[in-house]
């Protein structure tokens, strides 16, 4: 806990001693040495400490940052009103809201598709296939890691990590050593795999939407991502037992339309990329169009449900399959809006709080000071490496949003570097990424902070 607090303090408390070096951006007020500025720093610091203690307090991480965002902007509004510049603060607020709105809608569509695939039993079928193949622990270690690496660029690192963790928990039984190693492997693989795709992590999505790196320009990160995964995995694999787990095979039948939803998701991604690359529109326009694909397909599934059930029931009766008839009786129509409601709203609201807090600190002048130190006085390569280390301690979302808000002048190579370090840096600690935090909850007591810490080197 002391390490977390120290690191977060270093990130923002660099500013008081360097505030004289900061210059106002346009007509904005430099409040880095004001009472309001210090109060905003303190509020954000306390909010983030509470976020880090989410597992112990059992308090949703969105709550403290939402409150902190409101308090910070209330103080900013008061000061700017006193100086007769409330319109300037309002314009900055609206800019941050627009940034958030684009990411919110983009992530909402992606999460809806993932939820639809989950409801159609696609992930359950993959899990059952892996369990039923009779792999030994070492094979499962590599299989779950490799699948996590290649699924996370499409399904995002959090969803992928939870899916692979479910497999590990099901086959490992009472073997906490294997569960801990396998979960560490999954976190590293999911974070590394998500680093070379705009859809793999929120940080890569932010860089893509900001226009610093195009869709095709992420591809050079593939090889560094492979290295970031393979080297730790090879070392850990020597400590994985070769024995076979005792498992019971379970057959999972895909629900109607499961494979077609995967196809629609791929088409949605292609639409988003086309809007961004060809028309130079925000990719969220293409994602929202892709949501229409899913809505129309959901309408088709509902309208043809009776005919499909009648056909399957006739086959079941002919085969005297009572189990199949009972299963058909429990079928419910596909509802796309129910899938929307199953999105990770706590994560989406947490992201709002982070965007607004960091935006507020930027308007106060703190990010200008940090940018002046890290990207002017330091070599950009070392600055971007530091971003990766900080992302393991603070979480990569606020760190990356801070970098994008600073908007330093960097080469394409350095933008790719900061994307990579922010993506894989979270693997250093279990609390450094959403996938690590989620797995600590999913494998409670078997994958822990200190269990991950032993493998940090």
């Amino acid at each position: 806990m002391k390490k977390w607090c120290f690191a977060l303090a270093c990130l923002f408390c660099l500013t008081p001693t360097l505030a004289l070096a900061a210059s106002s951006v346009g007509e904005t007020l430099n409040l880095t040495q004001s009472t309001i500025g210090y109060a905003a720093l303190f509020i954000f610091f306390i909010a983030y400490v509470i976020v880090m203690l989410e597992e112990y307090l059992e308090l949703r991480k969105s709550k403290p940052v939402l409150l902190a965002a409101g308090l910070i902007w209330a103080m900013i509004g008061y000061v700017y009103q006193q100086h007769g510049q409330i319109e300037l603060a309002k314009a900055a607020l609206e800019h941050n809201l627009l940034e958030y709105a684009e990411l919110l809608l983009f992530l909402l569509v992606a999460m809806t598709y993932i939820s639809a695939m989950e409801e159609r039993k696609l992930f359950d079928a993959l899990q059952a296939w892996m369990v039923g193949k009779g792999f030994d622990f070492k094979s499962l270690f590599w299989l779950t890691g490799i699948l996590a690496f290649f699924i996370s660029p499409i399904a995002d690192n959090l969803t992928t990590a939870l899916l692979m963790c479910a497999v590990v928990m099901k086959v490992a039984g009472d073997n906490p050593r294997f569960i801990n190693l396998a979960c560490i492997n999954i976190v590293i693989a999911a974070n590394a795999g998500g680093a070379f795709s705009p859809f793999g992590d929120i940080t890569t999505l932010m860089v893509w939407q900001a226009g610093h790196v195009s869709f095709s320009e992420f591809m050079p990160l593939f090889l560094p991502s492979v290295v970031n995964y393979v080297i730790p995995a090879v070392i850990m694999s020597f400590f994985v037992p070769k024995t076979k787990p005792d498992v019971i095979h379970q057959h999972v039948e895909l629900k109607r339309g499961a494979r077609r939803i995967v196809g629609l998701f791929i088409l949605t991604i292609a639409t988003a990329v086309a809007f961004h690359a060809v028309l130079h529109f925000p990719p969220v326009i293409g994602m929202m169009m892709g949501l229409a694909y899913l809505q129309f397909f959901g309408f088709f599934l509902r309208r043809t449900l009776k005919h499909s059930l009648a056909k399957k029931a006739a086959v079941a009766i002919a085969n005297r399959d009572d189990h199949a008839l009972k299963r058909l009786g429990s079928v419910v129509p596909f509802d796309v809006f129910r899938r929307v409601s199953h999105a990770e709203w706590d994560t989406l609201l947490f992201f709002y709080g982070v965007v607004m807090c960091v935006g507020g600190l930027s308007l106060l002048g703190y990010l200008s000071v940090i940018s002046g130190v890290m990207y002017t006085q330091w070599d950009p390569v070392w600055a971007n490496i530091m971003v990766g280390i900080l992302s393991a301690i603070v979480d990569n979302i606020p760190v990356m949003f801070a970098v994008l808000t600073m908007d330093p002048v960097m080469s394409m190579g350095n933008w790719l570097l900061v994307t990579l370090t922010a993506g894989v840096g979270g693997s250093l600690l279990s609390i450094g990424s959403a996938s690590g935090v989620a797995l600590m909850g999913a494998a409670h007591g078997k994958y822990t902070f200190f269990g991950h810490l032993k493998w940090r080197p």
Side-chain angles (χ1 to χ4, degrees), residues 206-272:
M206 287 192 289
V207 173
W208 181 46
Q209 293 223 110
H212 293 295
V213 182
S214 69
F215 190 87
S216 60
E217 286 170 338
F218 277 97
M219 288 303 105
L221 288 178
F222 176 75
L223 188 58
S225 296
V226 170
V227 172
N228 270 279
Y229 164 59
V230 170
I231 291 177
V234 168
I235 295 169
M236 289 189 293
S237 68
F238 291 115
F239 299 87
V240 177
K242 292 183 179 179
T243 55
K244 283 190 176 183
D246 297 323
V247 295
I248 300 173
H249 177 62
Q250 180 184 4
H251 175 70
V252 175
E253 184 181 348
L254 288 175
K255 289 187 179 180
R256 183 166 159 259
R259 294 183 182 87
R260 282 173 283 181
I261 287 176
V262 175
L264 289 175
F265 186 45
I266 294 171
L267 180 61
T268 298
I269 293 172
T271 305

Side-chain angles (χ1 to χ4, degrees), residues 19 21-32 80 85 88-89 92 359 361-372 405-407:
S23 59
S24 298
V25 180
E27 298 178 7
T28 58
L29 303 173
N30 188 344
L31 301 170
T32 53
Y80 270 79
Q85 297 185 18
L88 196 62
L361 294 174
S362 174
L363 188 60
L364 290 168
Y366 286 110
L367 296 191
S368 297
V369 176
I370 297 173
S371 178
T405 306
M406 296 175 201
D407 198 19

Side-chain angles (χ1 to χ4, degrees), residues 27-31 34 36 75-89:
E27 298 178 7
T28 58
L29 303 173
N30 188 344
L31 301 170
S34 67
I36 295 294
M75 292 189 298
I76 289 173
Y78 172 78
V79 172
Y80 270 79
Q81 196 166 43
Q82 294 296 309
H83 286 80
Q85 297 185 18
I86 191 63
E87 289 300 320
L88 196 62

Side-chain angles (χ1 to χ4, degrees), residues 435-450:
S435 53
V437 173
L439 261 58
M440 282 196 294
H444 187 67
K446 295 178 181 177
Y447 169 64
T448 63
F449 176 82
F450 291 104

Side-chain angles (χ1 to χ4, degrees), residues 297-320:
F297 185 62
F299 174 76
F300 167 77
L301 289 178
R302 288 196 305 275
R303 290 300 297 265
T304 57
L305 179 63
K306 288 183 180 179
H307 175 72
S308 175
L309 289 177
K311 192 174 180 180
K312 289 182 179 180
V315 174
I317 292 170
N319 295 332
R320 296 182 180 180

